[in-house]
């Protein structure tokens, strides 16, 4: 029997032939070259194999292979798993629909046709080679539908043996979470995979059929999409509302009053004229009211003191994180998610990389009992028991159709206070982590308590006038010592909470001296243009899109030139 000798560069007779089997249980013969002693190997079954036990396929495999999406995640996971594990990154999706054709067989149950892109073929080939030599294979892609689909595509495209493969799911990249996940593996959830495939097919059917229409009617290289088109429509419809808006004049009147016997004054707003809402449409209607109010006698008719509680906001979901990062930090949705991805996948804190936040694509406000217990202990030690509610708070998601499959976005450990790890983060990472940490800790704290004071003043002239002033002071700060939600930039000035400074020493029946009247002209305002934050909120309210799609939607409609972002506001272009 002959085999090719790589050293002699010719075929040689095999000396001392031995029947063997490869890792895949394929029969072969191994021997040595009679001239140079080089090992010779030849595939194929011979009579010498008869009667030999055939090893199980993969019997010579060793070690455990873990496949994740990104190199950063691979480094962090690999650090926790240690020796015996090989962690490889797929660098995102490895297979998709062909770009050059519809790739959906609409006549055959909408069967998709997938292809591994040229750029991903070396990655798939490397994973395939690694899978052939490892005894156990773990698909540890992200814990959402897209991650489940990536795991399935890896299994299919790299031809990985399903019998050797297990699915691993974790919502934070910390050692306890990794160990827990690997102790409770499962198979690939085809319901999640098919849900993702259905969305992908829908996207292709809509985009592939609408985009050519745009190329013919508008210009080339444009695209339409199932969700981005709806988002663009919202922006365009808002612009049409603004264009069609006709401002209406109206006036308000406030009075500065000084209680009898006191030096301090306060501002009260006109609320009623003869028991009716004041109708002050123009200056001509205001002047006679001002003349009469100048001569009126004012007396405090009612004082109401009370207490108001303000509860903390729920921990972040993807949507609320993007909204708050936009309002507070000025970040776009895309920038927010890129930074959150870095914090999730792991930051080197001097002793190795560790994930700082839980999975950032979620519509859930749920928090694990372990995380709540850790937060409650931290709050007690740091701020005292009075800042801790008797029972851990429970929040419900407000998003339409929320699936709540994951936890809220929270720090993986509240003991990692932002200031303690600031040196390991860049400026943007630190600012986002700080907001996430503060929001979560505040969400587990006691409500803030305010003392409220409402004063009604009656003015007696030719008509009877009712003026009101209200204010509040903090009685107990509660969660506010850690965090307060940023102001909504779309809130109108008249919707702002009134907080007048009312002097101490006032009493019912007390006469008031009119210091001055403060008439003010206003005009009704058109609805504001969307910011990325308010557009994401509107999409969520309508149940459009998913946590994983908000940022790509914002990026796409701007990158395609449908919308421009000016002073944080979204304005449609002529193309849009």
């Amino acid at each position: 029997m002959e085999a090719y000798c790589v050293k002699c560069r010719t075929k040689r007779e095999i000396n001392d032939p031995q029947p063997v089997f490869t890792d895949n249980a394929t029969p072969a013969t191994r021997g040595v070259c009679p001239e140079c002693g080089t090992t010779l190997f030849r595939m194929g079954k011979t009579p010498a194999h008869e009667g030999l036990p055939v090893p199980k396929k993969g019997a010579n495999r060793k070690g455990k292979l873990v496949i994740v999406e990104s190199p950063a995640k691979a480094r962090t996971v690999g650090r926790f798993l240690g020796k015996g594990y090989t962690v490889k990154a797929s660098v995102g999706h490895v297979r998709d629909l062909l770009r050059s054709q519809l790739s959906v067989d609409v006549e055959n149950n909408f069967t998709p046709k997938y292809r591994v892109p040229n750029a991903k073929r070396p990655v798939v080939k490397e994973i395939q080679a690694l899978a052939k030599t490892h005894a156990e294979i773990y698909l540890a892609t992200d814990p959402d539908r897209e991650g489940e689909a990536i795991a399935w595509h890896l299994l299919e495209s790299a031809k990985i043996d399903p019998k050797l493969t297990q699915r691993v799911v974790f919502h934070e990249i910390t050692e306890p979470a990794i160990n827990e996940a690997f102790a409770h593996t499962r198979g690939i959830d085809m319901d999640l995979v098919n849900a993702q495939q259905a969305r992908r097919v829908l996207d292709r059917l809509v985009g592939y059929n609408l985009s050519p229409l745009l190329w013919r009617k508008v210009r080339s290289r444009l695209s339409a999409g199932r969700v981005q088109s709806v988002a663009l429509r919202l922006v365009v419809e808002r612009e049409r509302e603004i264009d069609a808006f006709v401002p209406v004049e109206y006036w308000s009147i406030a009075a500065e009053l000084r209680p009898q016997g006191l030096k301090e004054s306060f501002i009260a707003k006109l609320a009623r004229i003869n028991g009716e809402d004041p109708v002050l449409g123009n200056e001509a209607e205001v002047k006679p009211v001002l003349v009469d109010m100048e001569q009126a006698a004012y007396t405090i008719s009612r004082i109401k003191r009370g207490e108001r509680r303000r509860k903390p906001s729920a921990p972040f979901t993807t949507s609320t994180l993007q909204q708050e990062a936009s309002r507070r930090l000025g970040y776009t949705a895309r920038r927010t998610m890129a930074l959150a991805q870095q914090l999730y996948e792991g930051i080197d804190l001097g002793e190795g990389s560790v994930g700082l936040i839980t999975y950032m694509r979620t519509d859930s406000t749920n928090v694990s009992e372990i995380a709540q217990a850790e937060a409650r202990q931290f709050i007690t030690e740091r701020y005292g028991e009075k800042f801790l509610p008797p029972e851990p708070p429970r929040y419900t998601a407000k998003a339409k159709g929320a699936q709540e499959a994951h936890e809220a976005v929270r720090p993986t450990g509240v003991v990692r206070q932002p200031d303690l790890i600031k040196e390991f983060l860049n400026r943007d990472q630190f600012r986002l982590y700080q907001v996430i940490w503060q929001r979560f800790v505040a969400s587990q704290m006691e409500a803030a308590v305010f003392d409220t004071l409402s004063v009604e003043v009656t003015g007696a002239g030719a008509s009877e006038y009712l003026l009101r002033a209200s204010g509040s002071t903090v009685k107990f700060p509660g969660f506010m010592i850690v965090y307060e939600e940023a102001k909504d930039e779309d809130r109108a000035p008249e919707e702002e909470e009134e907080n007048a400074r009312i002097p101490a020493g006032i009493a019912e029946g007390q006469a008031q001296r009119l210091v001055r009247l403060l008439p003010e002209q206003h005009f009704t305002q058109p609805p504001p243009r969307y910011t990325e934050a308010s557009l994401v909120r509107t999409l969520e309210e309508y149940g459009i899109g998913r946590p994983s799609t908000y940022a790509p939607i914002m990026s796409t409609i701007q990158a395609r030139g449908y919308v421009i972002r000016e002073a944080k506001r979204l304005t449609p272009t002529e193309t849009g």
Side-chain angles (χ1 to χ4, degrees):
M1 180 184 295
E2 291 183 330
Y4 185 80
C5 177
V6 294
K7 192 169 183 181
C8 298
R9 296 186 180 181
T10 186
K11 286 186 177 181
R12 297 291 190 190
E13 187 70 24
I14 300 176
N15 267 8
D16 190 23
Q18 299 292 326
V20 295
F21 291 90
T22 66
D23 287 346
N24 291 325
T26 304
T29 300
R30 181 185 286 116
V32 296
C33 174
E35 297 295 328
C36 65
T38 301
T39 299
L40 301 181
F41 195 84
R42 178 168 175 167
M43 301 294 292
K45 189 175 182 181
T46 67
H49 288 90
E50 296 295 337
L52 294 178
V54 179
K56 289 184 178 179
K57 191 175 181 179
N60 294 327
R61 296 170 181 257
K62 294 181 181 179
K64 301 172 182 179
L65 174 64
V66 181
I67 306 173
V68 298
E69 294 100 326
S70 76
K73 185 176 177 181
R75 287 192 295 272
T76 308
V77 172
R79 170 175 168 260
F80 294 130
L81 292 176
K83 294 181 180 179
Y85 289 86
T86 301
V87 185
K88 176 64 182 174
S90 69
V91 197
H93 288 272
V94 296
R95 198 169 69 156
D96 199 3
L97 302 173
L98 278 75
R99 298 183 65 180
S100 58
Q101 54 185 266
L102 181 60
S103 293
V104 177
D105 188 349
V106 294
E107 303 296 332
N108 185 24
N109 201 28
F110 296 93
T111 304
K113 182 180 179 181
Y114 294 111
R115 173 181 178 273
V116 177
N118 292 336
K120 284 301 178 73
R121 289 185 180 181
V123 176
V124 172
K125 191 174 181 179
E126 184 181 359
I127 291 173
Q128 188 174 12
L130 288 169
K132 288 180 179 179
T133 61
H134 285 76
E136 298 176 28
I137 298 148
Y138 297 92
L139 301 174
T141 47
D142 285 343
D144 55 9
R145 289 185 296 196
E146 191 169 3
E148 202 75 20
I150 291 175
W152 176 73
H153 284 302
L154 280 165
L155 190 73
E156 294 283 312
S157 58
K159 297 180 174 60
I160 301 172
D161 188 347
K163 295 178 182 178
L164 303 177
T165 306
Q166 300 174 75
R167 177 81 168 104
V168 175
V169 175
F170 42 81
H171 298 88
E172 59 183 71
I173 307 178
T174 58
E175 191 166 8
I178 298 295
N179 292 337
E180 176 72 12
F182 276 80
H184 299 88
T185 59
R186 60 169 173 81
I188 290 178
D189 188 336
M190 288 309 298
D191 288 338
L192 291 176
V193 173
N194 290 333
Q196 178 64 23
Q197 287 195 97
R199 289 183 59 200
R200 187 72 187 93
V201 167
L202 268 175
D203 287 340
R204 176 54 63 94
L205 290 174
V206 173
Y208 202 85
N209 289 311
L210 282 181
S211 295
L213 178 64
L214 294 179
W215 301 343
R216 293 194 302 270
K217 300 293 185 180
V218 186
R219 62 177 170 83
S220 63
R221 301 186 67 81
L222 297 180
S223 70
R226 179 174 57 91
V227 179
Q228 73 180 55
S229 297
V230 179
L232 177 59
R233 178 175 175 176
L234 288 171
V235 175
V236 171
E237 287 183 345
R238 175 60 57 87
E239 195 68 21
R240 288 172 178 164
E241 286 183 64
I242 294 170
D243 290 342
F245 184 81
V246 178
V248 176
E249 181 184 5
Y250 70 98
W251 287 69
S252 64
I253 299 175
E256 183 179 353
L257 303 167
R258 180 175 294 141
Q260 189 177 38
L262 299 178
K263 293 182 178 181
E264 290 184 66
S265 61
F266 66 99
I267 304 294
K269 293 182 179 179
L270 178 63
R272 295 281 191 275
I273 300 177
N274 294 327
E276 302 288 337
D277 288 337
V279 179
L280 305 171
N282 52 55
E283 191 173 4
E285 293 176 349
V286 172
K287 281 184 176 180
V289 175
L290 293 175
V291 170
D292 188 37
M293 290 183 71
E294 287 280 2
Q295 307 303 319
Y298 295 94
T299 307
I300 292 179
S301 56
R302 184 169 180 258
I303 297 176
K304 181 180 178 182
R305 289 181 169 86
E307 190 176 276
R308 176 168 55 86
R309 294 172 63 85
R310 184 197 297 175
K311 293 182 178 180
S313 300
F316 283 128
T317 62
T318 302
S319 166
T320 55
L321 174 62
Q322 292 175 0
Q323 292 172 47
E324 188 72 353
S326 174
R327 290 191 292 255
R328 186 181 289 265
L329 307 176
Y331 293 169
T332 64
R334 182 177 182 177
R335 187 180 182 190
T336 299
M337 295 310 290
L339 291 168
Q341 184 89 30
Q342 295 165 17
L343 296 174
Y344 166 70
E345 291 181 344
I347 301 294
D348 190 343
L349 300 182
E351 297 180 357
S353 185
V354 62
L356 296 181
I357 65 170
T358 53
Y359 191 55
M360 62 283 159
R361 296 185 184 94
T362 177
D363 55 16
S364 173
T365 54
N366 295 331
V367 176
S368 73
E369 292 182 2
I370 294 174
Q372 281 195 319
E374 183 186 11
R376 289 175 69 81
Q377 181 180 350
F378 175 84
I379 292 165
T380 303
E381 294 174 355
R382 178 73 182 273
Y383 304 105
E385 289 189 3
K386 64 180 180 179
F387 286 89
L388 192 70
E391 297 293 330
R394 296 283 184 269
Y395 298 96
T396 56
K398 297 180 180 179
K400 185 177 180 180
Q403 297 177 357
E404 301 198 64
H406 315 305
E407 277 195 68
V409 183
R410 61 167 177 81
T412 55
V414 292
V415 293
R416 296 189 192 96
Q417 300 172 56
D419 288 339
L420 298 181
I421 62 172
K422 185 175 182 178
E423 62 180 299
F424 302 105
L425 306 175
N426 64 39
R427 179 176 180 271
D428 290 346
Q429 289 171 340
F430 170 76
R431 295 177 75 202
L432 187 65
Y433 179 72
Q434 185 178 49
V435 169
I436 293 171
W437 187 92
Q438 290 174 340
R439 173 82 163 227
F440 171 67
V441 173
S443 74
Q444 304 303 305
M445 296 179 73
E446 186 61 271
V449 181
F450 296 83
D451 284 328
T452 60
L453 176 62
S454 177
V455 178
E456 292 186 357
V457 178
T458 302
S463 297
E464 184 175 292
Y465 303 97
L466 177 66
L467 298 92
R468 289 186 180 134
S470 60
S472 62
T473 56
V474 177
K475 180 180 182 180
F476 172 67
F479 72 92
M480 291 169 54
I481 64 170
V482 175
Y483 173 87
E484 282 191 75
E485 194 169 15
K487 176 184 172 184
D488 185 350
E489 62 260 78
D490 286 346
R491 181 182 291 183
E494 58 268 21
E495 294 177 10
E496 294 291 332
E497 190 175 293
E498 184 185 351
N499 192 15
R501 296 186 61 178
I502 302 173
I506 59 171
E508 291 185 3
Q510 185 181 41
Q512 307 292 305
R513 185 173 76 82
L514 178 65
V515 178
R516 57 175 174 158
L517 292 173
L518 302 167
E520 188 174 356
Q521 183 186 39
H522 309 272
F523 291 92
T524 55
Q525 297 296 312
R529 290 188 176 96
Y530 285 110
T531 61
E532 285 198 4
S534 59
L535 183 55
V536 166
R537 183 177 62 218
T538 303
L539 290 171
E540 186 180 45
E541 288 172 354
Y542 283 118
I544 300 167
R546 301 294 308 147
S548 60
T549 62
Y550 297 140
I553 291 167
M554 299 301 116
S555 298
T556 300
I557 61 176
Q558 293 175 67
R560 298 288 182 183
Y562 302 147
V563 165
I564 56 174
R565 185 170 179 260
E566 295 178 318
K568 295 175 65 174
R569 298 285 174 176
L570 301 177
T571 306
T573 63
E574 186 177 349
T575 302

